[in-house]
Structure formats: structure tokens, C-alpha cells
Amino acid sequence: MTLPMDFKLKSNTFNIIGRSESVRKVLEITQKAAATDSTVIVFGESGTGKELIARALHHNSPRADNPFVPVNCGAIPADLLESELFGYEKGAFTGAMNSKVGRLELAHNGTIFLDEIGDMPGPLQVKLLRVLAEQEIDRIGGTKSIKIDVRVIAATNRNLEKDVEEGKFREDLFYRLNVIPVFMPPLRERKSDIPLLLKYFLDAFNKKRSKSIQGIDDRAVEILCNYQWPGNIRELANFVERMVVLSTNSVLSPKDLPEKVLTDVPKEVWDPPTLPEAEENPSEILRRSLKNSMFTGIPDEGINLKQVVEDFERELIMEALEKNDWVKNKAAQTLSLNRTTLVEKLKKLKITRD
Ligand SMILES: Nc1ncnc2c1ncn2[C@@H]1O[C@H](COP(=O)(O)OP(=O)(O)OP(=O)(O)O)[C@@H](O)[C@H]1O
Ligand SMILES: [Mg+2]
């Protein structure tokens, strides 16, 4: 598996795909931050790779051989989150039959990944702030503080600055976390990476699903580049897996694309309007008409130009009249003539309906 760019990953299980300018920036910061103990906060929409970056940071840091402990602050019910993070002593509350080591303690010497930090309830935000400031925790019901040494990486899909303004997130905690911010770009803002990601996931799912799909055709790639990707890279990975599993063709084409792409991408992209034929050059029409007429070129003995032109004129006028059921107005239009000019020519050339 080739690694994109010159990002030196210690563990090649983290493949961060992308060559766009915004991804290069993210990788540059990641690489610099990995070497330190600084707190990092990763911002980005759902599915943009926040967790992937957090893991890459840890696995390329001096703490790589120690635990990486993720905590999803949005998925754990608020009342359980405190005991998950801080742990408790036996008998701390009804039901606490044994003591439990919290995740912050488990992350000692390693990294704690506080995912969806924006969903952390207010009172816990205060407790976390203390941990970050003093690097020690109190288990619930405990009597003494425990020293810990953890590196903190947080992530959120929320606009934390706005949450601070609206009083939903503590300002002091925000500043404590916002040491090295990393902004994960949404996929729709780095469309140049889409073909690369499609290829990467196609290979991955071919392998995983024992299939041998050769590729995705240009039309399908173009359509996918015009999709808005609300679920970002996770959504792209899911689409590719679905297509790999369901398609019976060796090359994926627009008809293999998921229904959602069909409804969301404007019709013009699926079905580009054929360009209106460039207006034909009058001399080209004349040349073609001449070719189709009886005239086969100037014979050795020469021609009577006046006569040939007259014959040709008669032929074209007859055709225009036939085409328009002998309605002179319309025939004149077809020939770009005034009606009166056409009538004069009919007289001169002695053209009548019979
Ligand atoms: N640049 C990338 N290259 C390859 N795979 C990627 C990349 N970015 C994300 N992925 C993959 O996409 C999926 C979603 O990434 P991840 O879970 O890190 O996103 P997230 O931002 O944490 O999403 P959420 O907010 O929903 O938790 C994962 O399977 C991840 O491995
Ligand atoms: Mg995540």
C-alpha cells in the first residue's frame, strides 16, 4: 500500500488519503504536533476524518507505545460520563460494588481522545478543566487525588466558539483545549481528492469483499465530484462498499451509483446538454448542396456559369417550396429572402406549382 505524500507514519495502518492543499495543511500540522505533548483540538463535520487524525497523532507521538483511550462524550449518557472519565471507589454510590478505573487514568502516559467534546455537560467541563490544569484526578468517592500524565486530543463537529458565545461551552475550557486547532475540510471543498479516495476504497473493498471491480468510469466519477457529500468520507466509503457488493459490472458506471446521488446531483451533470450544433457556415451548406445536386464538377469543355447557377437556384427554390407546401412566405423564410424577391425569382425562373 503506498502512502500518500511524504507523511511519515510510524504505523502504516493509518492511511490518510488526500493531496489537496487543505489536506496537505492538516498533515503538516499533524506531523509537527505529533512530536509534542501539546493539546490538539480537531474541528470538522461528521465523517471528515477527525478520529483518524487523532489516532495518527498518537501513533506518531513519543507516547505511541502507551494507550490511546477514546471517549465519546456525545454517545455516553451524561450521568455515566463522569464515572467513565474519572472512575469511582467501591461504595461511592449505590451499586458501586467494586472500584473502577476511569478512562483518564487508563490513558496514563498515553493519550485521551475526547470525542464530541462540545456535548460534554457543564459540570463535567469544570472537572475536566481542573484535570487539564493540574494533571490529577479524583475518583468519585475517593479521598486522594491521583497524578496522571495524559496528552489530550479533543474533537468536535460543533462550532465551539459560537457555543462559548451562547454560554453552552465554558470559555476557559475552550481556551485550554484550543492550543493547536486542526480544521478538517469537508469533502465538497476538496473535490480533487474524490477520485483518489474512490480508488483507495475500491481497492480496499475489492479485497475485503473478494471482488475484482476494475474501476469507476469517468462519467460516474464526474457525477460523484458534483455530489455534496453531507456525510463526507464515511459516506463515500459506504457508497463504494455498496457499489462493490451490488454491481455485477467490471467497471462501475453512473447506473451503479446510489439513489441518493441520483436525486441530489443536478440533472445537467448526469445528462449534459449536447451543445447546439455550431451554426453552419453558408458556404459549407452550398458545398454540400452542390455535392448532392446533379452538378459533378467543371468538365473539360467548361460550363455556362449563368445557366448552372440558375439551375442550382431553381433546384433550391423548388426544394424550399416543397418543404413548405408551397406557402411562399415560409419558403422565402427558409431561403432568407423577402417574399417579394422570391415571387420575382419564381417569375424569372418560370417556376409554377405544376
Ligand atoms: N483522508 C482519509 N483517507 C482515508 N480514509 C479516511 C480519510 N478520512 C476519513 N477516512 C475514513 O472515513 C471514516 C470516517 O472517519 P472518522 O471516523 O475519522 O471521521 P470523524 O470526523 O471522526 O466522523 P464523526 O464526526 O462522524 O465521528 C473512517 O472509516 C476513516 O478511516
Ligand atoms: Mg469521530
Side-chain angles (χ1 to χ4, degrees), residues 3 27 29 34 53 95 113 119 137 142 147 179 211 215 222 311-312 345:
L3 276 175
L27 293 184
I29 299 172
I53 286 293
F113 175 45
D119 295 341
I137 57 154
K147 272 274 170 217
V179 181
K211 299 267 294 205
E222 196 190 333
D311 287 347
F312 188 50
K345 283 186 185 290

Side-chain angles (χ1 to χ4, degrees), residues 191-314:
K191 291 188 170 178
S192 60
D193 287 338
I194 292 176
L196 218 61
L197 285 159
L198 288 170
K199 163 120 191 38
Y200 169 75
F201 285 113
L202 194 66
D203 289 349
F205 288 117
N206 264 335
K207 223 175 263 170
K208 193 168 168 192
R209 302 284 173 214
S210 308
K211 299 267 294 205
S212 51
I213 290 176
Q214 309 288 302
I216 305 185
D217 74 16
D218 290 352
R219 291 288 306 127
V221 172
E222 196 190 333
I223 291 165
L224 289 171
C225 287
N226 278 277
Y227 179 62
Q228 290 300 298
W229 299 109
N232 294 291
I233 296 163
R234 181 176 293 112
E235 190 179 28
L236 183 141
N238 290 347
F239 279 4
V240 175
E241 178 168 13
R242 193 181 315 167
M243 291 191 287
V244 165
V245 170
L246 300 181
S247 178
T248 49
N249 304 317
S250 65
V251 173
L252 300 173
S253 68
K255 62 182 181 316
D256 295 304
L257 299 178
E259 182 72 18
K260 194 154 178 268
V261 179
L262 178 74
T263 47
D264 288 11
V265 174
K267 208 180 157 312
E268 306 87 79
V269 180
W270 285 79
D271 225 357
T274 40
L275 290 174
E277 263 184 39
E279 265 192 22
E280 272 186 293
N281 180 332
S283 65
E284 177 61 25
I285 297 177
L286 187 66
R287 209 183 49 77
R288 191 153 33 83
S289 306
L290 270 171
K291 236 175 144 180
N292 294 339
S293 75
M294 303 298 287
F295 184 65
T296 52
I298 301 177
D300 287 345
E301 65 278 23
I303 53 161
N304 179 336
L305 180 67
K306 199 165 169 265
Q307 188 60 52
V308 172
V309 171
E310 220 176 58
D311 287 347
F312 188 50
E313 195 174 23
R314 180 181 292 106

Side-chain angles (χ1 to χ4, degrees), residues 152-168:
V152 177
I153 302 176
T156 182
N157 59 13
R158 301 177 63 101
N159 180 342
L160 270 199
E161 248 165 308
K162 190 158 161 268
D163 284 356
V164 168
E165 270 167 33
E166 292 171 1
K168 292 182 192 148

Side-chain angles (χ1 to χ4, degrees), residues 15-18 23 44-53 72 113 115-116 155 157 184 190 197 200-201 233-234 237:
N15 228 351
I16 297 167
I17 306 297
V23 169
E45 289 179 12
S46 181
T48 45
K50 299 186 293 295
E51 182 160 350
L52 193 68
I53 286 293
N72 190 327
F113 175 45
D115 202 1
E116 301 310 343
N157 59 13
M184 299 306 292
R190 52 176 180 119
L197 285 159
Y200 169 75
F201 285 113
I233 296 163
R234 181 176 293 112

